[in-house]
Amino acid sequence: MKNEVIVLGTGPLANRMGRFLEERGCQPVRADEKPRSDALALIDITAGMEGEKKTSLLKWEQNLSPDTPVFTSVLHLTATQIASWLQHPHRVVGFSPLFFEKWDRVEVSCPLQAEGDSRFENALSLLAKWGKKAEIVGDEPGLVFPRTLALLVNEAAYCLQEKTASREDIDLAMKKGTNFPQGPLKWADDVGIDQIVAILTGLHRELGDDRYRPASLLRKMYYARYWGKAAGRGFYEYGQMSDPATGEPR
Amino acid sequence: MSEPRFEKLAVIGAGTMGIGIAEVFAAGGQDVKVVEISEQVFQNAMSGLKKRLQKRVERGKIRQEFAEKVLKRVRYVPDIRELVDADLVIEAIVEKLDVKQNIFHELAEVTSPNTILASNTSSLSITSIASAARHPERVMGIHFFNPASRMQLVEVVLGAETAPSLAEQVKRWLKELDKEPVIVKDTPGFLVNRIARPFHLEAYRYVQDQIASKEQVDRIMRTAGFRMGPFELQDLIGIDINFAASVSVFEGNFYDARYRPHPLQRQMVEQGAIGRKAGRGHYSYEK
Ligand SMILES: NC(=O)c1ccc[n+]([C@@H]2O[C@H](COP(=O)([O-])OP(=O)(O)OC[C@H]3O[C@@H](n4cnc5c(N)ncnc54)[C@H](O)[C@@H]3O)[C@@H](O)[C@H]2O)c1
């Protein structure tokens, strides 16, 4: 048994996932196209903002056996929509990759097509084997924690863009005034501005409510690739600017 | 240039917040005058403060002499006309705009134009409070959190007309009192109450839309490092208080969808299930 797990995606989330899998005795496999009919699972970290998610999932599905579970990030899309692309939609499990390696719980969602299908339960037992308790929640972009965090960050970004307060004061206020474990702007830099924007635009598109409209500052930071700590720059500066995917200096 | 010091301090209202703010000043070595509607109300507040200080003496946190000094520095005055020479006055009376405007109008008449007039309001606009006072450029928000003696954060709020130079002056003084001040422009909810809105409001949507149960939401948020999830926290704060804060930020923003409260919030309030203080809220606390 090679215990191979295919990881789709780049950047800090994918790197951390790779290390996590190695610690669990699995072999993360990235970016080659040989059939992997004996792979344990495919884990797709990509948010899917640029359409690359569909192409790579379609390509990879052909290399898997029909029962291999596909864990896919639902920060921007629903598991139901992602499943609709695939030949075997029942194998899809939506999940949140944020702090996946760190927390003992992981939020997952079941695509409509897989409701009542035993393959979903089987997939969760794999998570259990890795020491993760599955918290099954409804299938909407961003699930629960990522959606809440994105909205907190969005409100903080509005405050910053309006010059209601400085970034340091915004973070300090939330930590000291209401016991947030992190200031929202610093937290966003850790998670990645790209992820935050993916969640907000996903919710805005799916639910059509103005509550989810991203602050223009966030949209611009996304375009400028000020994606946070991994990019060297987000709401704060972290030394040199680098490519958030590869870590190469820019 | 020597900075103006705030030596002569006064607090209007000795409720939960007012007496706590007076305690902060007194513990920082400053004398403070307190105005209340009657001496009896003031004395009641003082005996509360005395009990709290006594507990801290018993737990070895502070010394007896210190507790006595703190109490001696807080003094009752029956009338705001006795505040003529005050450097800084903080108002902490009921959260009603017209009542606050009346007090600020009066305060502006009796004090010098250099006296800083501050409100501890959580949700009213500093600009509208200031509009009732002569020299609105010295009116600002100094928003302590409950309990004032233990919560380090203070929001220093600048109204549309507040002199910007006051922000840094007040900030430095608050730092000397061991607080962590932040400077914020006058917007509904300021920083904390505004940015925390989605933490509470989105939680109701998860439940209504069958995305997650209350227990799940609280568990997930605790896993993320919050000390409490939104529902357990609301039970502690009071769902009525939390709902009022939501409505006030929503109205203050002319009904922007970002701040829209949730019908389930109102339902909880209408049933009287407002949290721990009622024995039931999102969870049951009946013995
Ligand atoms: N309680 C909190 O958690 C909290 C936190 C931050 C800010 N605030 C704000 O602080 C202010 C006070 O809140 P509180 O909870 O201490 O209220 P409270 O009801 O406990 O106290 C108000 C006090 O003001 C007195 N008062 C009323 N009118 C007066 C007048 N004309 N002159 C003198 N005294 C008068 C009352 O007798 C009462 O003792 C409000 O603006 C509130 O929004 C409250």
Side-chain angles (χ1 to χ4, degrees):
Chain A
M1 232 356 223
K2 284 180 288 180
N3 276 343
E4 286 177 339
V5 176
I6 299 146
V7 178
L8 297 187
T10 54
L13 288 178
N15 296 338
R16 276 182 239 147
M17 180 63 80
R19 278 198 299 277
F20 169 83
L21 291 168
E22 278 167 1
E23 283 164 18
R24 293 296 185 283
C26 297
Q27 195 187 326
V29 181
R30 312 220 349 216
D32 75 37
E33 294 176 31
K34 280 189 301 191
R36 301 277 178 181
S37 52
D38 57 348
L40 274 184
L42 181 149
I43 301 183
D44 159 38
I45 311 283
T46 58
M49 286 272 279
E50 318 279 3
E52 78 293 354
K53 189 177 177 93
K54 185 170 180 176
T55 352
S56 59
L57 276 177
L58 281 177
K59 193 166 73 189
W60 270 97
E61 191 185 25
Q62 299 169 2
N63 297 338
L64 298 173
S65 81
D67 283 338
T68 311
V70 169
F71 296 93
T72 183
S73 164
V74 284
L75 294 188
H76 182 67
L77 298 160
T78 63
T80 303
Q81 185 177 4
I82 297 164
S84 76
W85 303 332
L86 300 187
Q87 261 174 350
H88 300 279
H90 312 85
R91 62 161 101 215
V92 172
V93 179
F95 86 111
S96 160
L98 304 190
F99 303 103
F100 178 89
E101 77 291 351
K102 217 169 137 191
W103 295 346
D104 62 349
R105 281 175 200 285
V106 52
E107 287 182 59
V108 299
S109 73
C110 179
L112 190 57
Q113 302 91 317
E115 277 181 12
D117 194 298
S118 60
R119 274 168 287 190
F120 185 74
E121 292 300 324
N122 289 345
L124 298 191
S125 65
L126 186 57
L127 291 177
K129 222 185 288 167
W130 290 336
K132 300 288 168 192
K133 282 179 231 133
E135 196 73 71
I136 306 173
V137 301
D139 185 32
E140 291 292 356
L143 306 174
V144 171
F145 166 73
R147 173 166 162 181
T148 305
L149 176 66
L151 290 173
L152 297 172
V153 171
N154 201 31
E155 202 52 44
Y158 275 108
C159 285
L160 189 63
Q161 87 185 26
E162 294 161 4
K163 294 196 163 46
T164 292
S166 70
R167 60 185 184 187
E168 288 82 5
D169 276 3
I170 290 171
D171 279 348
L172 182 67
M174 300 318 287
K175 282 192 292 187
K176 296 284 176 174
T178 178
N179 268 320
F180 274 28
Q182 269 273 26
L185 299 174
K186 182 71 196 7
W187 215 347
D189 277 359
D190 289 350
V191 160
I193 302 301
D194 53 330
Q195 303 294 325
I196 299 291
V197 171
I199 298 161
L200 291 168
T201 52
L203 285 163
H204 198 211
R205 186 196 58 242
E206 290 296 317
L207 305 179
D209 191 327
D210 258 1
R211 317 168 46 73
Y212 306 109
R213 180 163 42 89
S216 31
L217 176 61
L218 274 173
R219 280 190 287 110
K220 287 178 191 159
M221 288 171 72
Y222 178 76
Y223 295 133
R225 295 175 85 78
Y226 292 180
W227 285 3
K229 207 168 177 178
R233 176 160 189 178
F235 287 110
Y236 295 86
E237 295 81 34
Y238 306 84
Q240 207 185 6
M241 271 282 276
S242 54
D243 186 308
T246 60
E248 297 292 316
R250 309 206 278 147
Chain B
M1 215 174 67
S2 83
E3 184 163 300
R5 282 275 310 155
F6 307 123
E7 300 287 357
K8 303 206 168 88
L9 305 175
V11 176
I12 320 276
T16 313
M17 293 309 292
I19 196 70
I21 295 167
E23 179 191 346
V24 170
F25 297 162
Q30 300 205 251
D31 291 330
V32 50
K33 293 179 180 172
V34 176
V35 182
E36 249 297 345
I37 47 172
S38 75
E39 177 144 23
Q40 191 52 51
V41 177
F42 169 78
Q43 289 305 346
N44 289 347
M46 282 302 274
S47 40
L49 173 58
K50 198 170 173 181
K51 269 190 216 131
R52 284 197 307 278
L53 290 171
Q54 207 49 51
K55 261 199 206 128
R56 266 188 274 162
V57 171
E58 280 156 26
R59 280 199 236 111
K61 304 261 186 213
I62 55 173
R63 291 153 57 108
Q64 183 69 35
E65 304 89 271
F66 181 76
E68 276 160 24
K69 263 193 208 148
V70 168
L71 290 166
K72 239 183 264 157
R73 287 182 189 132
V74 182
R75 208 158 58 76
Y76 174 69
V77 296
D79 195 320
I80 64 172
R81 273 170 297 192
E82 293 191 34
L83 307 182
V84 271
D85 60 348
D87 297 321
L88 187 146
V89 182
I90 294 197
E91 164 278 316
I93 64 170
V94 281
E95 189 74 339
K96 289 220 166 87
L97 182 61
D98 54 339
V99 183
K100 287 200 196 284
Q101 282 180 331
N102 282 340
I103 284 269
F104 275 78
H105 177 78
E106 252 184 279
L107 280 169
E109 296 302 317
V110 299
T111 56
S112 104
N114 294 324
T115 305
I116 293 181
L117 303 180
S119 174
N120 187 53
T121 180
S122 308
S123 61
L124 300 171
S125 149
I126 296 303
T127 309
S128 40
I129 294 173
S131 69
R134 275 201 304 147
H135 302 289
E137 69 280 359
R138 44 64 182 270
V139 176
M140 66 193 307
I142 301 185
H143 183 215
F144 286 84
F145 289 73
N146 188 16
S149 60
R150 271 196 291 127
M151 293 291 286
Q152 280 200 298
L153 187 74
V154 182
E155 290 176 327
V156 175
V157 187
L158 297 183
E161 295 179 278
T162 312
S165 62
L166 293 186
E168 287 298 330
Q169 268 180 45
V170 168
K171 181 172 168 173
R172 272 194 294 274
W173 167 67
L174 287 167
K175 275 195 166 162
E176 283 170 25
L177 290 171
D178 238 5
K179 293 296 176 191
E180 297 251 32
V182 294
I183 297 174
V184 46
K185 279 202 272 188
D186 186 20
T187 61
F190 312 135
L191 286 180
V192 174
N193 279 334
R194 170 178 172 182
I195 297 175
R197 271 316 93 207
F199 183 71
H200 296 289
L201 295 180
E202 211 59 15
Y204 283 97
R205 295 191 155 71
Y206 302 140
V207 173
Q208 173 90 335
D209 300 347
Q210 303 291 311
I211 287 174
S213 67
K214 289 178 180 178
E215 289 82 357
Q216 273 188 307
V217 174
D218 281 348
R219 202 158 55 218
I220 289 169
M221 291 306 160
R222 263 186 272 114
T223 301
F226 289 91
R227 200 167 312 153
M228 280 190 224
F231 294 110
E232 32 194 8
L233 182 57
Q234 286 167 29
D235 276 356
L236 186 69
I237 298 170
I239 296 171
D240 51 339
I241 305 273
N242 189 257
F243 179 53
S246 308
V247 170
S248 131
V249 174
F250 183 51
E251 288 177 351
N253 282 293
F254 289 116
Y255 312 104
D256 188 324
R258 288 216 309 282
Y259 309 104
R260 193 187 318 118
H262 198 279
L264 286 178
Q265 273 179 301
R266 186 168 51 198
Q267 245 183 37
M268 300 293 294
V269 175
E270 284 168 347
Q271 307 169 51
I274 53 173
R276 286 179 190 231
K277 60 190 172 188
R280 65 195 182 110
H282 296 297
Y283 302 102
S284 172
Y285 301 90
E286 255 127 51
K287 278 150 244 153

